[in-house]
Amino acid sequence: MHAPMSDVVVIGGGVAGCASALALARRGLSVRVLERNQGEGASWAAAGIIGPQLEAAGDGPLARLCLASRALYAELAASLVEATGIDVGYRQSGALRVAFTAEGREEIARELAWQREAGLTVEICDGDGARARAPALCDEVAGGAWLADEARIDPPSLMRALRIAAERAGVLFSTGATVRRIVVEREHARGAQLEDGTKIEAGWTVLAAGSWSSLLEASGLAPSAVRPVRGQIVELTPASPVLSQVVYGPGCYLSPRDDGRVLVGATMEFAGYVTAVTSRAVRDLLTAALRLAPALGDAPIGRTWAGLRPHPKDALPILGEGEIANLIFATGHFRNGVLLAPVTAKIVAALIAGEEPPLDLSPFSARRAGITG
Ligand SMILES: Cc1cc2nc3c(=O)[nH]c(=O)nc-3n(C[C@H](O)[C@H](O)[C@H](O)COP(=O)(O)OP(=O)(O)OC[C@H]3O[C@@H](n4cnc5c(N)ncnc54)[C@H](O)[C@@H]3O)c2cc1C
């Protein structure tokens, strides 16, 4: 069976695939998204922290990519509200990174020194300064850094809005479509073949299958180029809001929602493709969260869940073309895929339109060591 040919076929309906599909459709291209089971991917499980400054270990290509994407978020969120009426929960809430000791506070200040030099907003604070921002923090907090430009979003709302906006822009979603391999003829990608043998032909193919990306045949990726890293989250539902900004503390982070919920995350585990929530993780996350903000101790536990972060060996995303022409990689976003959605979409759309990408993609090339099979 042959489906009608599209300009672009996108494999994977997570945040990378949906944001890319929307950007392509808004440029007038016909796009089909092939998704095995929407709702299963990491994008639905994420904590929604838009935190390039929290996440950056130092200055470098990944930090710059993350900062570029944060700068695009307000516009993406506004365009989604306009297209769908859905508030995706984008709030420039700011974030606190805190430590329990003076040495820890000094270490945070040292780690973030490059950000100040680069002109980013960083305010080093003591314990009282941190509690003035977030009164729920315990007396043990010895300070850290206030990062006023960091933000948060609600990933399930974002995913719903992206899908609806993409459909309204003309994107066709095939749900229940499991891709087995990339169709390659004369070193050019020609689309995708499903498990049932159906070939979906397209001028361009975008591989955005998250943690499952290297399981697809004929992509050119090494079998272990992208591995799943499980992240577990515990959702707390206090009777009234105790926090408005994101907090990174020892052993956990806290990501609040406007309705008062606080997501406590997240573990980092190589556990294969298993998404079970474990008692050890729940204990450890709650212990860390209650030490940081004891007021959360009275909060009922809402849901618990786990998702799989797509982890490349060097933790850098895989973006752009590799050895196979007309195959674009948009995968391997690891801890920052929600944050990186707008810039990923911009890169994919620019490459397919034959334009220069907004940033140098060489650090993220699929041709780098350990990624190509
Ligand atoms: C607990 C947790 C917390 C996180 N918190 C944050 C955060 O606060 N901020 C942030 O920026 N990032 C966060 N992340 C990371 C972020 O969620 C991921 O980087 C991002 O969602 C990856 O998006 P994706 O579209 O590449 O992958 P996914 O969302 O996993 O989507 C891939 C899709 O491809 C589909 N698929 C796979 N194989 C096939 C196939 N063969 N055929 C058809 N479809 C297929 C899957 O069903 C899936 O829907 C978190 C992740 C976890 C697990």
Side-chain angles (χ1 to χ4, degrees):
M1 192 189 105
H2 280 263
M5 173 129 170
S6 316
D7 294 324
V8 187
V9 68
V10 177
I11 304 169
V15 74
C18 286
S20 298
L22 174 61
L24 289 162
R26 283 183 170 168
R27 282 174 175 255
L29 292 160
S30 62
V31 185
R32 180 182 289 271
V33 175
L34 303 176
E35 169 53 53
R36 186 178 50 191
N37 182 8
Q38 203 173 38
E40 208 179 56
S43 307
W44 295 82
I49 300 165
I50 308 300
Q53 292 179 252
L54 288 166
E55 286 281 320
D59 198 0
L62 179 58
R64 295 289 161 168
L65 186 74
C66 288
L67 286 165
S69 205
R70 184 182 70 183
L72 298 170
Y73 239 105
E75 193 187 324
L76 173 66
S79 89
L80 289 173
V81 175
E82 198 182 314
T84 68
I86 297 174
D87 173 6
V88 296
Y90 172 77
R91 307 283 181 267
Q92 195 192 313
S93 61
L96 276 164
R97 192 175 148 198
V98 297
F100 287 142
T101 61
E103 298 76 54
R105 182 184 64 216
E106 298 314 317
E107 198 181 316
I108 291 173
R110 269 195 305 280
E111 265 185 41
L112 301 190
W114 73 269
Q115 297 189 6
R116 300 176 94 169
E117 282 158 26
L120 299 170
T121 309
V122 178
E123 189 184 310
I124 301 301
C125 56
D126 61 12
D128 288 340
R131 279 181 292 277
R133 300 266 177 208
L137 294 181
C138 68
D139 292 343
E140 208 184 338
V141 165
W146 167 242
L147 306 168
D149 294 334
E150 302 285 63
R152 57 179 163 88
I153 198 157
D154 183 53
S157 306
L158 174 68
M159 291 306 299
R160 276 192 289 275
L162 279 173
R163 171 144 185 182
I164 293 170
E167 281 175 331
R168 289 188 179 161
V171 175
L172 297 173
F173 281 81
S174 301
T175 306
T178 303
V179 175
R180 185 169 70 219
R181 67 179 187 100
I182 313 287
V183 177
V184 182
E185 289 165 10
R186 291 185 295 280
E187 288 163 32
H188 280 68
R190 303 285 183 206
Q193 186 167 22
L194 306 185
E195 286 292 357
D196 66 6
T198 308
K199 276 190 184 171
I200 313 288
E201 295 183 337
W204 290 84
T205 306
V206 177
L207 178 45
S211 289
W212 298 269
S213 295
S214 21
L215 302 184
L216 269 67
E217 294 169 26
S219 73
L221 291 178
S224 61
V226 182
R227 293 173 64 203
V229 170
R230 180 169 64 183
Q232 303 187 44
I233 288 194
V234 179
E235 177 193 63
L236 301 177
T237 58
S240 55
V242 293
L243 207 63
S244 66
Q245 56 287 93
V246 173
V247 178
Y248 264 41
C252 74
Y253 58 66
L254 308 174
S255 181
R257 294 289 175 273
D258 289 353
D259 61 9
R261 284 178 298 137
V262 176
L263 308 193
V264 182
T267 59
M268 294 262 284
E269 310 155 80
F270 285 108
Y273 287 90
V274 176
T275 52
V277 173
T278 63
S279 46
R280 184 186 302 112
V282 172
R283 178 200 63 195
D284 291 350
L285 289 170
L286 288 180
T287 302
L290 267 58
R291 183 175 173 200
L292 197 54
L296 289 172
D298 292 325
I301 295 175
R303 294 186 304 126
T304 59
W305 64 83
L308 303 173
R309 306 177 186 88
H311 176 259
K313 275 190 179 134
D314 53 10
L316 294 176
I318 307 167
L319 300 171
E321 270 186 304
E323 298 297 343
I324 302 168
N326 292 31
L327 172 63
I328 305 283
F329 293 95
T331 187
H333 294 87
F334 191 34
R335 290 174 59 89
N336 293 303
V338 174
L339 160 62
L340 287 169
V343 81
T344 299
K346 200 169 178 178
I347 288 167
V348 169
L351 291 174
I352 289 179
E355 297 166 6
E356 276 297 306
L359 285 101
D360 171 24
L361 295 183
S362 53
F364 312 114
S365 169
R367 297 188 182 98
R368 68 190 193 263
I371 299 297
T372 308

